[in-house]
Amino acid sequence: MKKIISPLLALGMCITPVSALLMVQPSWGQTQNSQAQQAERLLEQWLQQTQQQQHQQAIKTFQQVLTLARELKDKKLEATALLGLGFNFQRIGELQQALDYYNQSLPLFRALGDRTGEATTLNNIGGVYSALGQNQEALKFYNQSLPLFRALGDRTGEATTLNNIGGVYSALGQNQEALKFYNQSLPLFRALGDRTGEA
């Protein structure tokens, strides 16, 4: 199945992009400015580690980001760090740990009104449940993320989620239903020029 590390959109199979969520908010004081700059450096380091599949190192980096976010009282950065930790734990197969971090990030994104973060987290939670073989639970989360991605006009998120839903129906042996969702994701991947998604 397709793995999208753009950098965090779990397509069931895929993990939804966190890179767009990695914007450090401006700081107020000298200490906060220094901490915000450190957080930015750590996020750049994390991106390189993720691209190089160095998930254990990325976990350590995101734990530092989480500490800084809490010191800065930056809820968006905190939610993003929690999402990043969940992503990397998911990548190394520590699914319960991943779920714990995703479940911490979800209410923060909701409280912030960050629909992209919310949709990404819901999709990634669905991916964990899918990996655990809890297909009905996976569908519940994918079906919450899909309308959010559509409302945001996030065609990559929409295509990925449709593909993930197709994967769940395939795992359930409901091939006609799986085809319905695969047939919805295919033209989106083509329109996006995403040859990997298309394949």
Side-chain angles (χ1 to χ4, degrees):
M1 304 236 174
K2 180 178 179 211
K3 303 284 185 199
I4 293 180
I5 305 177
S6 205
L8 297 184
L9 182 51
L11 185 80
M13 331 156 294
C14 289
I15 301 191
T16 311
V18 162
S19 57
L21 305 174
L22 297 179
M23 303 298 166
V24 180
Q25 297 175 358
S27 304
W28 296 272
Q30 184 67 26
T31 303
Q32 285 184 320
N33 191 36
S34 170
Q35 288 173 315
Q37 289 172 348
Q38 183 181 359
E40 286 179 40
R41 282 191 301 275
L42 288 169
L43 291 173
E44 288 172 17
Q45 181 180 336
W46 163 81
L47 189 56
Q48 291 173 349
Q49 291 166 337
T50 299
Q51 290 170 340
Q52 296 170 1
Q53 307 278 322
Q54 298 173 344
H55 299 294
Q56 295 286 357
Q57 293 90 332
I59 287 168
K60 291 176 185 169
T61 300
F62 259 123
Q63 287 169 333
Q64 292 176 312
V65 173
L66 181 60
T67 299
L68 284 171
R70 288 178 173 161
E71 287 172 6
L72 292 166
K73 295 181 175 40
D74 185 332
K75 293 298 182 187
K76 181 173 177 113
L77 184 59
E78 181 179 353
T80 301
L82 291 165
L83 177 61
L85 283 163
F87 171 80
N88 285 286
F89 276 108
Q90 186 173 359
R91 297 306 250 175
I92 64 171
E94 297 287 337
L95 300 178
Q96 192 55 56
Q97 193 84 350
L99 196 56
D100 291 344
Y101 282 111
Y102 289 148
N103 283 326
Q104 290 177 62
S105 69
L106 185 59
L108 290 175
F109 283 125
R110 284 179 169 158
L112 291 164
D114 184 334
R115 296 183 63 181
T116 300
E118 180 181 356
T120 299
T121 305
L122 288 165
N123 191 64
N124 292 358
I125 290 171
V128 170
Y129 281 118
S130 181
L132 290 169
Q134 297 180 27
N135 294 316
Q136 294 302 324
E137 200 65 13
L139 281 175
K140 178 177 123 183
F141 285 93
Y142 289 146
N143 285 324
Q144 289 177 64
S145 70
L146 184 59
L148 289 173
F149 282 128
R150 284 179 170 156
L152 291 164
D154 182 339
R155 296 185 71 189
T156 299
E158 180 182 356
T160 298
T161 305
L162 287 164
N163 198 59
N164 289 346
I165 293 170
V168 170
Y169 280 117
S170 180
L172 289 169
Q174 297 180 28
N175 296 327
Q176 289 303 317
E177 197 66 13
L179 274 174
K180 180 176 112 178
F181 286 94
Y182 289 144
N183 284 328
Q184 290 178 63
S185 69
L186 181 59
L188 290 173
F189 282 127
R190 284 182 173 153
L192 291 163
D194 183 340
R195 303 285 300 270
T196 304
E198 180 181 354

